[in-house]
Amino acid sequence: MRIALCTLFEGHYHHGVATLVNSLVAAGYQGTVWAGHRGPLPAWLARHARFDRRAGRLQVTPQVVLQTLALDPPRSLNYQKPAFMRELLQVHDPAAEAVVYLDPDLVVKCAWAEIEAWFAGGEVALVEDLDSALPSDHPRREGWRHFFAAHGEVPQRALARYYNSGFVGVPRAHDALLATWQRLCERIAEDHGGALRQRKLGAPDHPFHSTDEDALNFALMLDGAPLCTQGPEAMDFVPGGRHLSHAVGAAKPWQGRHFRGALRGRPPSVASQSFYRFTRGPLASLSPLTLVRRRLSMALATALGRVYRQR
C-alpha cells in the first residue's frame, strides 16, 4: 500500500523528528516521510551531506526519504494536522492510498507492517488516549454538541471512547473525515480565540481544552467511517504495549534532566526510555557527547525510579 506518512514540527521538536524517522527505518517502513515545519530547519538536517536544500529532501536510506515542507499557519500546528493530511492526498502525493499522521514525540517500536494492518482493510486507524473512557452522554461531549449545534453540525453516531490525535491513519476513501476535522478545528480557532500559538484552551474542564484532539473526536461522531481502534497500551500510556511510544506532556525526552526528575520522584516514562532506543540510527540530532550524558542520566534515573517515586 502506498502511504503518505507525515508529521509536523517547530522549535526543539526537530529532535523528535530525527528519532521518529530512525524508528520508522528500524520498523521497515519504505517510502517518504513528509515533515511540515515552521521556522528554519535544524542544523543536523540542513547541513547533512545528502540534504538537497533546493528540494528540501533528504535521502535517509535507499528506502526512506525525509521531505520537508515549510508552513506558516497563523495558529498552533496542532490545528494544522487535518489540513496537512488533506494537502498530501490532494497535492503532494495524489497516488497515496492512505495518509498517516504521527506526532514528532512518538516512536514506532514494532514492524511497520503491523501498523499498516490497522488501516489496510479500509478502516480509520486510531489509538485511545490515556483517559480513554468518555461516555456518549459525558458533559464534555454535551459541550461539543451544544457548541456545534449552532453551526449546523449534528452527530450521526454515539461513541464512548476518546482517541489521541498523535496517530491517525485515514484511507483515501474516508478523506471526508479529514475535511470535517479541518472544518471543526477552524471553527474552534475562530470562535474561542486565545493566543495564536496556544496549544491548549482554558482549564482542563474547558470543552476544547485539547483543541485538535477534541475536534477529531467530535468529527468521529459526525462521520460514519468504520474504525479500527487500539487501546491506550498501543502508545505506552498504560503497561503492555508494543506498537508505539508517545512521550506526551510538556517535558520531552530529548531535553534531558532525567536524573533531576527522578530525584523529585518522577522517574523516566516508558516513552522516554523508548526514545533513546532510536537515537542511534541514520539521523543524529544530538551530539555523541550529549547522547552519552543523557543515556547515563537515563540509566541512573531509571534505577532510582525502581526504589523511589512520587506518591
Side-chain angles (χ1 to χ4, degrees):
M1 173 182 288
R2 178 160 176 154
I3 298 164
L5 190 152
C6 64
T7 190
L8 292 166
F9 76 95
E10 62 182 322
H12 60 83
Y13 281 77
H14 68 85
H15 294 292
V17 173
T19 307
L20 169 60
V21 173
N22 286 345
S23 74
L24 287 165
V25 170
Y29 172 76
Q30 297 185 21
T32 300
V33 179
W34 299 86
H37 68 96
R38 175 158 43 201
L41 292 172
W44 63 262
L45 176 54
R47 298 174 185 171
H48 197 288
R50 293 195 300 274
F51 182 63
D52 182 338
R53 181 177 292 274
R54 180 175 297 180
R57 176 187 176 96
L58 173 62
Q59 190 75 45
V60 181
T61 69
Q63 295 78 31
V64 177
V65 170
L66 177 59
Q67 177 68 57
T68 63
L69 292 172
L71 306 172
D72 192 22
R75 295 190 179 272
S76 167
L77 289 182
N78 278 23
Y79 289 100
Q80 200 67 18
K81 293 178 184 180
F84 189 53
M85 294 170 77
R86 293 185 70 203
E87 183 179 340
L88 292 183
L89 287 177
Q90 295 171 2
V91 179
H92 301 295
D93 198 352
E97 300 168 75
V99 60
V100 176
Y101 174 81
L102 296 168
D103 268 347
D105 54 0
L106 181 153
V107 294
V108 178
K109 301 193 300 181
C110 66
W112 177 252
E114 295 186 47
I115 303 297
E116 188 174 315
W118 294 351
F119 51 87
E123 299 88 356
V124 172
L126 300 162
V127 176
E128 292 180 9
D129 201 21
L130 174 59
D131 299 318
S132 57
L134 196 70
S136 60
D137 59 351
H138 192 279
R140 194 165 165 195
R141 290 194 192 272
E142 291 300 324
W144 301 344
R145 290 189 184 96
H146 177 75
F147 172 76
F148 283 115
H151 302 288
E153 307 283 6
V154 180
Q156 302 299 308
R157 62 178 168 184
L159 296 174
R161 312 302 290 178
Y162 187 86
Y163 300 100
N164 189 279
S165 65
F167 170 90
V168 183
V170 182
R172 180 178 289 276
H174 300 300
D175 61 352
L177 171 63
L178 297 175
T180 300
W181 184 15
Q182 180 182 355
R183 184 174 70 247
L184 300 186
C185 281
E186 291 170 352
R187 176 59 65 186
I188 293 170
E190 179 180 341
D191 284 34
H192 285 275
L196 288 181
R197 301 296 172 85
Q198 189 173 346
R199 297 170 62 86
K200 299 282 187 179
L201 291 179
D205 61 350
H206 189 289
F208 299 108
H209 177 64
S210 295
T211 57
D212 70 292
E213 211 154 64
D214 292 324
L216 168 64
N217 280 271
F218 192 70
L220 294 170
M221 295 166 63
L222 297 175
D223 192 278
L227 308 180
C228 176
T229 65
Q230 309 298 318
E233 73 282 351
M235 281 192 183
D236 279 344
F237 293 148
V238 297
R242 62 181 184 81
H243 295 98
L244 308 169
S245 212
H246 194 178
V248 295
K252 299 303 177 184
W254 54 80
Q255 294 176 301
R257 301 188 291 274
H258 307 299
F259 190 66
R260 186 186 309 175
L263 287 174
R264 295 173 179 169
R266 298 189 297 273
S269 66
V270 173
S272 290
Q273 296 175 51
S274 295
F275 171 83
Y276 284 93
R277 280 178 53 190
F278 299 103
T279 49
R280 289 190 179 127
L283 299 182
S285 68
L286 298 170
S287 71
L289 180 58
T290 298
L291 264 181
V292 168
R293 291 173 174 169
R294 296 277 173 83
R295 288 178 181 277
L296 176 60
S297 174
M298 174 67 70
L300 293 172
T302 301
L304 180 59
R306 295 191 183 103
V307 296
Y308 171 63
R309 66 174 59 234
Q310 195 175 60
R311 298 294 182 183

